[in-house]
Amino acid sequence: MVVSAETEGKMMTGKKPIYPIEEWTVTEEVFDRKTNYRNETTFSLSNGYIGTRGTFEEAYDFDVDTGLEGNFVNGFYESEKIRYGEANFGSPMYSQSLLNLPNLKETKLYIDGEEFHMERGQVTEYARILHMKEGFLERGLVWTSPSGKAVRIRTQRLVSFVMEHIMAARYEVTPLNFTGKVRFVSKLQADVENHTRKTNPIVDYGPFGRKLDVERLEQDGQTLYYEGTTQTSRLTAACGSSHRLYVQEISGMAEGGETACGVKEQRAGETETACGMQAGELEAVCVLETEAARGERVVLDKMICYATSLDRSRETLECFVRSELEKAEETGFEALKRQQEEYLGRFWETADIAIAGAGGSALVQGLRFNQFHIFQSAGRNSRTGMGAKGLSGEGYEGHYFWDTEMYVLPMFVYTEPETAQKLLDYRYHTLDQARARARVLGHEKGALFPWRTINGEEASTYYPLGTAQYHINADIAYALSLYLQVTGDREYLKEKGAELLAETARIWADVGSFAECRGGRYCICCVTGPDEYNVLVDNNFYTNLMAREHLRDAAAALRWLIKEEPAAYERLKEKTGFAEQELDLWDEIVEKMYFPYEEKRGIYPMDDGFLMRKPWDEERIPAEKRAWLYENYHPLFIMRHRMSKQADAVLGLYLHSHLFTREEIQRNYDFYKEVTLHHSSLSTCIFGIVACGIGYVEEAYKYFMQSARMDLDDYHNNFYAGIHAANMAGTWQAVVNGFGGMRCQEGVLRFAPVLPQAWKSYSFKVKYQGNLLGVTVTSEKSVFSLLKCGGVEKKISFTVYGEQVELEEGGKYEISKV
Ligand code: BGC
């Protein structure tokens, strides 16, 4: 299949790599204020609880266009009363914004009184490196001060996966041509506010100004401590830092670095500590100073801790923060770093993807960058989800969307199911808010999840693009069903899954009707599908399809519960008022669901009105406005045209591909390819996956090239605001579900690998029902190896190009490419 010039024009063209191509690292070779904002996202670190942007210890005075100091705790938000011009009943009255918390990374360095600043004096040998295998950030450089004093500087930072509340930093300074004073001024800066860009009212709503009221600000020896409460959401954040300064003797100042040979002495120098909490004072500082000579290295180890009233009672916060800091100090920076590497090592052992062939290294770097950010952004404590921007920036106010369930969760289901479960737990945990929301929308039973949220309540201020996306219910159910199939976790189904499936399914049974004018078929009106350029439509194909499959899965789950776990079923009935007759209605809807269909082309239009809309004429739109329609055109202008922002029907055809013939998928794909603008980062990866399944392998490859390095090379020019988590995880799906042709549907695991011409081979691993399966695809063959056999059955069954395969411990299956 040849890609037409027109289609190709619609795909965004790849940019030149921003950073050098390296397999396990991302390196910034020069510091430049102009690219700082974007690079802060590249170098952001997180552990799913704390998130911190890749800002510098020097705390530069960047403005709203050049940088953002950002420190976040997943789930910690501030609200503001939303002022609407014309609010409707049910509009959320309070916003939720991931709140920027006090900054404790700031550590200013003075060499004999001269302040280290990368824009003064001279910087050489600069490199800032993200170590994706080991999970830390490093910066190295030599700085010659304006007066000619030269120091080698190395900073390292990590956000610990093992100690959820801890961020650790090491600052090393080696005098190269002088003996003098090295002074660190470490700060707890509580004068922080969100940056939230004011340019896009649809996606960003405040909060503007400082929102945490300081309640405690203390210095105690070399420990700084803070507590503050938000003005409206009334949540308390606590944080603190502890310091240890020492001097090491360096043996050998040879090129390429020095070797430390033990600690010569450990002294705090003339440590001064100062702090202020008088009116207007919002910072506490700890000053550490020592004398250092050539041949010595000064090291400052700093531990930082965040905790909030969402995790524990307010009264225990201080004690907790101080004891976590002590524990972190006892563990020490080196040990924290080792633990980090081990933790990440376990993830990479399963999740890493190998690609050999043209551009292999660049693609592998892009994939690892994506997976690293996904891995570090997912909430893991059952109370938090994962933002569309992870914890890497303030974009989308830190909200969780369907991006988690449809894009991110599948990757975790197959690589780290424990994390997938925690993300599902978050939805379960907010089921009550979803129940309340359903009532607001007029549903007497069931639960309707919010389109965007942090605390479980709807935070979308614009219902046509928000609450109307009812498909979120089915998306969550889809992710849950996938988790259950792939892990075989019946306990989860019994304890939480059945309730989640049932409560969300009930909405479908209430939202539509068996319409006479459609031959008694079940129609769902006035919803928005995934495509945000076609809103408040009737019978969105994706929504109807996902709703039907949701009802099917929910009915099966409840029938299983009734039969196998009657006591659990009784509890569910009691809690939700569920009646068995509801299942009959669900069955009827499953049987009679309506789908828009056009006979002539044999396609499923996106919704009832799609084919009536005016054909889109790109020529009318000035080039600079093309990718920014909502910023430049009234929504009505956009919505009246026959075009699409992102994968919508095509996504449904991927997720439930077993229900359609290949020809059917091909016809629809051909149609949607012509009308889809890919203005959302969630689109190209899905088109690529579907293209693989219908044999358009080279076209799939082009789509893949649009998504694999999308963030690393900043194709959308908005990486400064945070990662595009959905696309990042979508690239994992593009390899495994796309090229590998993997699906898990109706309890069957299937593969149908294809290989793009540019590649010699690729390989990946997936976890399936306690087993670890390795897949390698070359131009000659595909090899499937059971690497670990952990399931109850002690074997794994799957199909390859429709052939049934069964492997036992150590088993291998090879098939020549067909
Ligand atoms: C997309 C949505 C997505 C949101 C957050 C929007 O531009 O259209 O599908 O959920 O971004 O990533």
Side-chain angles (χ1 to χ4, degrees):
M1 170 77 198
V2 179
V3 185
S4 68
E6 197 198 331
T7 310
E8 210 165 357
K10 281 181 199 144
M11 300 181 186
M12 275 159 291
T13 44
K15 278 190 190 168
K16 251 177 61 204
I18 293 172
Y19 312 96
I21 305 295
E22 301 159 330
E23 295 215 341
W24 279 108
T25 44
V26 176
T27 304
E28 175 190 64
E29 291 174 306
V30 274
F31 163 71
D32 184 346
R33 200 171 263 267
K34 288 202 279 302
T35 51
N36 175 68
Y37 205 171
R38 176 199 70 212
N39 290 353
E40 285 176 0
T41 307
T42 304
F43 297 111
S44 62
L45 293 178
S46 177
N47 60 3
Y49 179 80
I50 299 173
T52 193
R53 283 176 64 79
T55 51
F56 295 99
E57 286 72 10
E58 298 87 272
Y60 294 109
D61 58 342
F62 296 119
D63 64 17
V64 76
D65 293 313
T66 50
L68 163 70
E69 181 54 69
N71 296 283
F72 312 103
V73 165
N74 199 354
F76 194 91
Y77 67 94
E78 171 60 323
S79 293
E80 290 217 326
K81 189 144 178 35
I82 301 173
R83 276 179 293 126
Y84 291 96
E86 294 179 65
N88 53 267
F89 176 81
S91 293
M93 295 318 286
Y94 285 90
S95 65
Q96 300 159 42
S97 304
L98 183 69
L99 196 70
N100 211 334
L101 299 179
N103 177 32
L104 290 123
K105 287 180 293 185
E106 178 173 340
T107 311
K108 289 203 167 142
L109 168 69
Y110 297 83
I111 304 296
D112 271 341
E114 278 180 292
E115 183 184 345
F116 165 54
H117 191 297
M118 292 198 288
E119 291 167 320
R120 287 178 218 140
Q122 206 198 350
V123 172
T124 54
E125 299 179 42
Y126 179 87
R128 188 153 60 136
I129 307 170
L130 178 66
H131 295 271
M132 300 185 283
K133 195 172 184 184
E134 299 86 0
F136 74 99
L137 179 65
E138 178 183 21
R139 173 173 56 146
L141 62 114
V142 170
W143 183 61
T144 308
S145 74
S147 77
K149 294 198 173 96
V151 281
R152 180 177 293 282
I153 290 175
R154 182 178 183 223
T155 60
Q156 298 172 78
R157 180 189 299 163
L158 62 87
V159 178
S160 174
F161 285 109
V162 174
M163 295 190 74
E164 195 187 22
H165 298 267
I166 293 293
M167 164 158 43
R170 171 168 283 180
Y171 204 137
E172 295 169 329
V173 180
T174 311
L176 298 179
N177 61 359
F178 70 99
T179 294
K181 282 206 164 85
V182 175
R183 183 179 172 94
F184 293 104
V185 178
S186 170
K187 203 174 270 185
L188 189 163
Q189 178 56 266
D191 189 10
V192 288
E193 23 182 287
N194 278 45
H195 226 220
T196 315
R197 299 203 129 214
K198 294 152 198 161
T199 48
N200 192 344
I202 296 174
V203 294
D204 292 324
Y205 189 94
F208 305 120
R210 192 161 38 77
K211 293 291 166 188
L212 271 171
D213 286 337
V214 191
E215 281 152 358
R216 306 267 302 273
L217 185 60
E218 285 156 22
Q219 155 275 312
D220 169 12
Q222 293 179 24
T223 303
L224 305 176
Y225 181 72
Y226 168 95
E227 238 176 76
T229 296
T230 53
Q231 291 160 4
T232 310
S233 61
R234 305 306 296 159
L235 300 174
T236 301
C239 52
S241 59
S242 64
H243 305 81
R244 197 166 82 90
L245 181 74
Y246 51 96
V247 181
Q248 292 178 328
E249 234 175 57
I250 310 297
S251 65
M253 296 285 282
E255 244 179 280
E258 326 96 5
T259 334
C261 69
V263 178
K264 187 176 114 188
E265 57 180 311
Q266 188 176 319
R267 58 180 188 237
E270 301 138 31
T271 305
E272 304 157 24
T273 37
C275 104
M277 211 201 134
Q278 291 92 19
E281 285 193 68
L282 289 158
E283 51 185 60
V285 296
C286 176
V287 182
L288 303 108
E289 187 178 273
T290 189
E291 189 81 23
R294 224 177 147 248
E296 287 182 333
R297 177 197 288 147
V298 181
V299 185
L300 173 67
D301 282 348
K302 175 162 159 179
M303 300 298 163
I304 295 170
C305 177
Y306 287 92
T308 81
S309 57
L310 289 166
D311 324 316
R312 61 201 63 250
S313 67
R314 281 183 170 79
E315 305 73 58
T316 60
L317 281 172
E318 178 177 3
C319 187
F320 178 77
V321 167
R322 289 188 190 276
S323 86
E324 284 296 289
L325 286 173
E326 264 169 42
K327 270 192 239 158
E329 282 213 338
E330 269 162 36
T331 309
F333 187 82
E334 279 308 321
L336 283 168
K337 220 169 123 182
R338 266 198 312 278
Q339 292 172 354
Q340 190 85 339
E341 185 174 353
E342 279 164 24
Y343 193 99
L344 266 163
R346 286 194 288 278
F347 172 69
W348 288 122
E349 202 188 316
T350 307
D352 194 30
I353 290 176
I355 295 174
S361 305
L363 291 175
V364 164
Q365 184 186 33
L367 285 171
R368 285 181 179 152
F369 182 69
N370 294 346
Q371 284 175 263
F372 176 75
H373 275 286
I374 293 299
F375 182 71
Q376 64 169 0
S377 308
R380 288 175 168 77
N381 60 12
S382 299
R383 289 182 297 91
T384 49
M386 176 166 158
K389 303 279 178 197
L391 291 166
S392 65
E394 290 178 0
Y396 285 127
E397 295 175 89
H399 290 167
Y400 316 141
F401 294 72
W402 72 314
D403 304 37
T404 317
E405 282 78 16
M406 300 318 287
Y407 290 80
V408 171
L409 229 133
M411 183 190 104
F412 280 122
V413 163
Y414 289 106
T415 57
E416 202 180 63
E418 311 77 47
T419 301
Q421 195 203 84
K422 299 286 180 204
L423 290 170
L424 289 167
D425 274 354
Y426 160 74
R427 294 295 188 179
Y428 183 77
H429 176 75
T430 57
L431 202 43
D432 276 344
Q433 288 93 312
R435 287 187 179 104
R437 184 67 181 158
R439 303 302 164 267
V440 171
L441 271 289
H443 305 295
E444 283 161 15
K445 291 186 287 212
L448 178 64
F449 277 100
W451 176 242
R452 44 190 294 176
T453 187
I454 294 177
N455 69 7
E457 289 166 15
E458 180 62 275
S460 171
T461 50
Y462 186 54
Y463 73 87
L465 298 191
T467 303
Q469 298 205 41
Y470 266 51
H471 64 86
I472 183 125
N473 259 24
D475 303 332
I476 292 168
Y478 173 86
L480 170 58
S481 298
L482 185 71
Y483 167 81
L484 294 170
Q485 284 186 69
V486 173
T487 60
D489 187 348
R490 295 268 154 146
E491 194 55 26
Y492 198 78
L493 176 59
K494 178 182 141 200
E495 293 303 328
K496 298 175 181 167
E499 186 184 341
L500 197 50
L501 283 172
E503 285 290 77
T504 45
R506 283 171 131 185
I507 297 300
W508 300 125
D510 189 47
V511 72
S513 72
F514 296 99
E516 224 182 296
C517 62
R518 289 285 188 273
R521 302 246 138 216
Y522 195 77
C523 295
I524 300 176
C525 297
C526 206
V527 293
T528 299
D531 182 54
E532 296 189 345
Y533 287 168
N534 289 277
V535 314
L536 303 183
V537 298
D538 296 338
N539 293 311
N540 169 252
F541 171 79
Y542 175 87
T543 306
N544 288 17
L545 176 63
M546 295 295 286
R548 185 184 69 180
E549 297 314 307
H550 178 180
L551 286 167
R552 204 196 297 273
D553 287 344
L558 284 189
R559 290 198 167 104
W560 174 83
L561 202 68
I562 292 168
K563 187 155 168 262
E564 308 289 339
E565 300 284 350
Y569 176 65
E570 285 307 314
R571 283 199 300 277
L572 184 144
K573 248 170 64 178
E574 181 122 335
K575 189 165 175 193
T576 63
F578 189 79
E580 224 162 308
Q581 305 85 283
E582 291 184 49
L583 292 175
D584 300 336
L585 175 60
W586 295 5
D587 289 345
E588 196 184 346
I589 297 174
V590 168
E591 196 194 314
K592 295 189 179 155
M593 184 62 86
Y594 171 80
F595 295 102
Y597 189 70
E598 201 229 18
E599 295 285 345
K600 207 169 107 213
R601 271 176 281 199
I603 55 146
Y604 296 101
M606 207 189 303
D607 55 72
D608 279 356
F610 191 65
L611 296 178
M612 278 189 297
R613 285 177 208 132
K614 186 175 165 139
W616 180 242
D617 180 4
E618 190 99 319
E619 296 305 309
R620 286 179 61 187
I621 313 293
E624 70 283 3
K625 294 185 179 172
R626 278 184 199 160
W628 305 104
L629 296 185
Y630 275 132
E631 283 74 13
N632 291 293
Y633 294 89
H634 193 281
L636 292 174
F637 174 83
I638 300 168
M639 292 161 187
R640 282 190 191 123
H641 281 95
R642 193 199 312 156
M643 49 75 169
S644 160
K645 178 183 176 189
Q646 64 198 101
D648 186 293
V650 169
L651 176 59
L653 296 172
Y654 152 44
L655 300 174
H656 295 294
S657 54
H658 61 302
L659 302 173
F660 302 91
T661 64
R662 183 181 163 124
E663 293 67 37
E664 227 176 340
I665 296 178
Q666 184 172 340
R667 283 196 304 273
N668 281 281
Y669 173 91
D670 286 344
F671 170 73
Y672 283 108
K673 170 175 96 180
E674 296 305 324
V675 293
T676 307
L677 304 173
H678 304 297
H679 285 177
S680 160
S681 62
L682 282 69
S683 198
T684 46
C685 53
I686 303 302
F687 269 74
I689 294 170
V690 176
C692 284
I694 51 176
Y696 294 1
V697 183
E698 295 315 308
E699 190 163 314
Y701 181 72
K702 292 196 174 179
Y703 281 120
F704 180 67
M705 296 300 281
Q706 302 306 314
S707 34
R709 292 177 58 94
M710 185 188 281
D711 275 347
L712 191 53
D713 292 335
D714 196 13
Y715 292 166
H716 287 235
N717 293 318
N718 60 4
F719 195 46
Y720 67 86
I723 61 167
H724 296 92
N727 174 70
M728 283 183 152
T731 59
W732 181 92
Q733 293 193 42
V735 176
V736 176
N737 303 102
F739 298 118
M742 186 181 79
R743 300 285 186 280
C744 185
Q745 291 154 335
E746 296 180 318
V748 180
L749 182 66
R750 298 188 280 122
F751 294 90
V754 295
L755 184 73
Q757 271 166 20
W759 294 357
K760 290 199 183 74
S761 67
Y762 63 93
S763 48
F764 60 86
K765 296 185 197 116
V766 287
K767 288 184 176 167
Y768 183 70
Q769 301 190 344
N771 301 297
L772 182 65
L773 184 70
V775 180
T776 300
V777 180
T778 68
S779 52
E780 286 89 47
K781 58 187 178 186
S782 301
V783 183
F784 297 80
S785 322
L786 184 51
L787 303 171
K788 271 186 210 156
C789 185
V792 192
E793 308 235 320
K794 296 285 165 241
K795 62 178 183 203
I796 186 170
S797 307
F798 53 94
T799 71
V800 184
Y801 305 119
E803 292 292 317
Q804 187 66 41
V805 180
E806 205 169 86
L807 294 180
E808 291 185 357
E809 180 104 64
K812 193 182 254 194
Y813 171 79
E814 290 190 7
I815 183 169
S816 313
K817 203 180 164 294
V818 286

